[in-house]
Amino acid sequence: MAKFVIAGKADCPYFAKAELLADYLQRNLPDFQVHKIIQHPDVWKRWLRDLCKKNQWNHKRSPIVWRELLDRGGKGLLLGGFNEFLEHIQLYYGITSKMMTNEMLIIASENLETHIEIEQEKEEIKSVINPINVWITGASCPTSYNLIPILVNGEVFGEDKEISIHILNNNFNEDSLHGIVMEAQDLAAPLLRNISMCTAIEEAFVGAEVIIILNDDIENEFESLENRIRARLPLCELFGSLIEKNAHQSVKVIVAGKTFLNLTTNLIIRYTPSLNPRNVIAVAMVLENEAKAMLARKMKTTASDIKDVIIWGNITGSHHIDLRKAKVFRYDSAIWGPPSFSRYLLNLIFDSEWIRKEFEASVNSWSLTRYFQRGVSSAHCIATVLKFWYHNSPPGEILSMGIISEGEFDTPAGMVFSMPVQCKNGVWFPRTDLTETELTEEIKGAIIHDLQQEKLIALGEVSTYQPYLPVAGITPRENRVRIQIEENLEEEQKDQTEFFSIGSLDFSEGRSSQEPLEGNDFEFYEN
């Protein structure tokens, strides 16, 4: 069997004449096959040069014709250009072409128009089904293993958006990535276009639209604090340069992991000067959810019914868990309401001593002991933050996120600081409308000092971590908690008084306070 390959420029008249002759032979000879390759005139020279370099051929004009040796393999046998192909066909098959020049030019023009139309259709199809390129670093950690199935189930990016996932380890070794790739393929998820692993540094983050940085696999707990901080710098510098070079200019970068999230986020922003710094964030939801879970166990309720817990500062360092705005929904108490009714959390915990002295320490201790089992929790939080970023966070609900400060809440501009935010229309914005929070000058001073020390050590400007010295004359935390509980209680009683006054006794209508008003979509009864 003879198989010929004819390649040429779309507007080349000799290519048109050669392909028509080959088509005629393929229709009339059972053992004759032809494969045609058409290239746009703008890319023809580069394509031909690469082809000849690969096969060690010497050819400079359109068309180029070679014969594939199907029974032998190999690179094929070069025949040459149009004249050589015509001579070969006439010698072996006794057939020639008598097409006139004007016909060749007309067909060549039609070939070019058709080629352009086909390429445009391909681009349109690609634009419709173009998958989101998601890159995951540190992919051998448990979080990555649990994150991939969540990303491809349609809830994060949309049920009609395909995903292309690329995974890599921070040392660019394959390690256990083969198993993750195979298991992801075994999911047979309709939205997973492909999954691949990257082991070549120069190929990292090519076309990335979402980058998830998991930095746990470079953590060495036996090193000193200063050495662990300094270990972030070279990797963040490398990742920053690769993101600058290869990633999409509007790429979203999410930093998650066990330690130094704010520092890693700050360094990534530092080494990606052309990237919008608002597109690089750190995930604080893991800590936020752990606090909710501990509060729920204390109150014997469900963690999902606790809202508006705020994480201030350094997510994996000096932070503050603010419960002043926290609310509880569907809580089993003397006062009941519809699903939208809530009460301040601090007014419902009877063990205020636990809140004042033990709560935050308990959360931190629980985080450390349960870290290696919380891959599911971390993956869920990353996916939820991405979902909110793309499709808006719940209206009115407070979400904590490590973001680049622009001076909000009197924090230093340019510092990555966890604070309350809300996501809407694909962007996040700080909740600067919140007033009377627990972010006091004492708390803020300790957090800012911690973040500044981490950055100075990472950049080599100081060698040892200097502890924070508190300012004298600050109100103790337990007194502040007591004051805010009393203020929240007064505000809640005021709200309830205003509500119950609506249902007060009305003798003219013969209706008591326990009869719901018409038109209300809920009712309250107080025991």
Side-chain angles (χ1 to χ4, degrees):
M1 177 180 291
K3 182 176 182 180
F4 293 86
V5 180
I6 303 175
K9 293 191 296 182
D11 61 347
C12 174
Y14 293 100
F15 172 76
K17 188 171 183 178
E19 70 164 340
L20 288 177
L21 176 60
D23 287 342
Y24 173 81
L25 292 170
Q26 186 170 243
R27 287 194 303 269
N28 292 277
L29 298 175
D31 294 332
F32 188 96
Q33 292 185 5
V34 62
H35 175 67
K36 292 175 281 187
I37 301 175
I38 305 175
Q39 297 292 337
H40 194 278
D42 295 341
V43 301
W44 164 253
K45 286 185 178 180
R46 184 175 70 253
W47 183 89
L48 179 62
R49 182 178 64 249
D50 293 342
L51 175 71
C52 292
K53 182 179 179 180
K54 176 183 177 182
N55 294 315
Q56 299 179 346
W57 291 340
N58 184 18
H59 189 85
K60 298 181 179 180
R61 296 187 304 275
S62 174
I64 180 173
V65 185
W66 69 91
R67 181 177 176 182
E68 290 190 352
L69 306 176
L70 299 180
D71 56 340
R72 303 178 198 174
K75 63 184 180 181
L77 176 65
L78 176 66
L79 294 184
F82 170 74
N83 290 332
E84 289 79 8
F85 176 66
L86 193 64
E87 182 180 347
H88 179 87
I89 296 302
Q90 187 171 9
L91 178 63
Y92 277 85
Y93 302 103
I95 298 174
T96 188
S97 174
K98 299 180 180 180
M99 182 182 295
M100 304 300 293
T101 303
N102 60 339
E103 293 179 292
M104 293 165 57
L105 293 173
I106 292 173
I107 295 174
S109 176
E110 293 176 350
N111 279 349
L112 179 60
E113 292 179 4
T114 303
H115 177 72
I116 293 174
E117 290 177 1
I118 292 173
E119 290 299 314
Q120 288 176 345
E121 289 178 2
K122 289 180 179 179
E123 290 299 321
E124 290 176 1
I125 293 173
K126 286 182 180 179
S127 65
V128 174
I129 63 174
N130 188 34
I132 296 178
N133 281 313
V134 178
W135 285 76
I136 303 175
T137 75
S140 59
C141 70
T143 299
S144 172
Y145 191 85
N146 292 280
L147 178 62
I148 293 173
I150 305 176
L151 292 177
V152 299
N153 66 9
E155 294 183 6
V156 176
F157 301 106
E159 296 183 355
D160 59 345
K161 196 65 181 175
E162 291 188 337
I163 315 295
S164 180
I165 297 178
H166 312 272
I167 60 177
L168 58 93
N169 274 332
N170 294 333
N171 55 10
F172 291 91
N173 290 332
E174 296 182 10
D175 294 345
S176 60
L177 298 185
H178 280 292
I180 296 176
V181 170
M182 292 180 64
E183 290 204 51
Q185 292 170 342
D186 292 343
L187 288 173
L191 296 180
L192 180 59
R193 171 69 70 83
N194 70 287
I195 180 168
S196 62
M197 57 183 177
C198 175
T199 57
I201 296 178
E202 64 276 4
E203 297 177 2
F205 310 128
V206 172
E209 296 170 78
V210 175
I211 298 175
I212 301 169
I213 296 178
L214 306 175
N215 59 9
D216 296 325
D217 63 345
I218 64 171
E219 181 67 17
N220 186 349
E221 296 182 355
F222 298 101
E223 290 282 350
S224 65
L225 173 64
E226 289 82 3
N227 286 341
R228 284 184 286 147
I229 291 175
R230 283 188 282 266
R232 304 291 174 195
L233 183 66
L235 188 66
C236 291
E237 188 175 4
L238 173 62
F239 281 175
S241 63
L242 292 170
I243 292 171
E244 277 280 302
K245 177 183 176 182
N246 297 332
H248 196 278
Q249 65 181 92
S250 61
V251 61
K252 291 178 169 62
V253 182
I254 295 180
V255 180
K258 181 183 177 183
T259 52
F260 308 114
L261 295 193
N262 293 55
L263 174 64
T264 303
T265 306
N266 206 320
L267 292 175
I268 292 294
I269 293 173
R270 179 186 181 91
Y271 294 113
T272 53
S274 65
L275 187 64
N276 184 350
R278 295 176 65 90
N279 279 9
V280 187
I281 61 133
V283 176
M285 187 177 285
V286 176
L287 182 59
E288 181 183 324
N289 285 356
E290 287 174 357
K292 291 178 180 178
M294 184 155 290
L295 291 165
R297 285 192 293 272
K298 185 70 175 178
M299 301 177 66
K300 295 180 173 55
T301 186
T302 305
S304 60
D305 288 336
I306 299 177
K307 308 291 184 183
D308 300 345
V309 174
I310 301 174
I311 307 298
W312 294 104
N314 192 352
I315 301 166
T316 51
S318 178
H319 59 260
H320 179 70
I321 304 174
D322 189 348
L323 303 180
R324 182 156 189 164
K325 301 294 183 181
K327 299 181 180 68
V328 183
F329 292 79
R330 294 185 289 271
Y331 187 63
D332 186 7
S333 67
I335 299 176
W336 281 84
S340 59
F341 175 69
S342 65
R343 300 185 66 189
Y344 283 107
L345 178 142
L346 290 175
N347 297 344
L348 299 174
I349 294 184
F350 300 107
D351 189 0
S352 57
E353 188 75 10
W354 179 80
I355 283 287
R356 287 195 290 265
K357 295 183 178 179
E358 300 179 23
F359 165 65
E360 193 161 342
S362 300
V363 171
N364 292 336
S365 174
W366 184 64
S367 299
L368 292 173
T369 57
R370 291 184 57 87
Y371 166 71
F372 291 105
Q373 291 84 35
R374 71 178 184 183
V376 173
S377 172
S378 300
H380 167 75
C381 292
I382 294 169
T384 302
V385 169
L386 266 175
K387 178 182 177 181
F388 289 168
W389 204 348
Y390 272 84
H391 304 292
N392 303 341
S393 56
E397 188 172 321
I398 299 173
L399 167 71
S400 297
M401 187 184 292
I403 60 173
I404 187 75
S405 171
E406 297 178 357
E408 299 90 353
F409 303 102
D410 294 326
T411 56
M415 175 177 285
V416 174
F417 202 95
S418 178
M419 62 181 70
V421 301
Q422 188 171 5
C423 299
K424 190 173 183 180
N425 299 327
V427 297
W428 53 259
F429 56 90
R431 290 291 305 274
T432 53
D433 58 315
L434 296 178
T435 58
E436 299 179 354
T437 66
E438 279 192 9
L439 187 63
T440 63
E441 291 302 317
E442 178 197 14
I443 295 171
K444 194 175 0 178
I447 292 171
I448 291 173
H449 175 84
D450 186 45
L451 289 169
Q452 288 174 339
Q453 286 291 303
E454 286 186 357
K455 185 176 180 180
L456 291 173
I457 292 172
L459 297 177
E461 297 181 19
V462 298
S463 58
T464 58
Y465 184 94
Q466 301 298 322
Y468 173 72
L469 298 177
V471 180
I474 299 295
T475 305
R477 172 176 169 79
E478 53 265 27
N479 290 343
R480 294 199 309 270
V481 174
R482 177 182 55 78
I483 292 170
Q484 75 187 41
I485 290 175
E486 292 173 356
E487 291 176 353
N488 285 347
L489 186 59
E490 291 175 2
E491 185 177 348
E492 187 175 285
Q493 288 173 345
K494 180 181 177 182
D495 292 341
Q496 294 173 8
T497 302
E498 291 176 355
F499 174 79
F500 286 119
S501 65
I502 299 175
S504 60
L505 290 175
D506 188 342
F507 294 102
S508 61
E509 298 293 333
R511 184 174 57 220
S512 71
S513 62
Q514 289 192 349
E515 294 176 346
L517 294 174
E518 293 182 4
N520 269 0
D521 59 350
F522 56 85
E523 55 186 27
F524 279 141
Y525 300 104
E526 184 171 18
N527 295 339

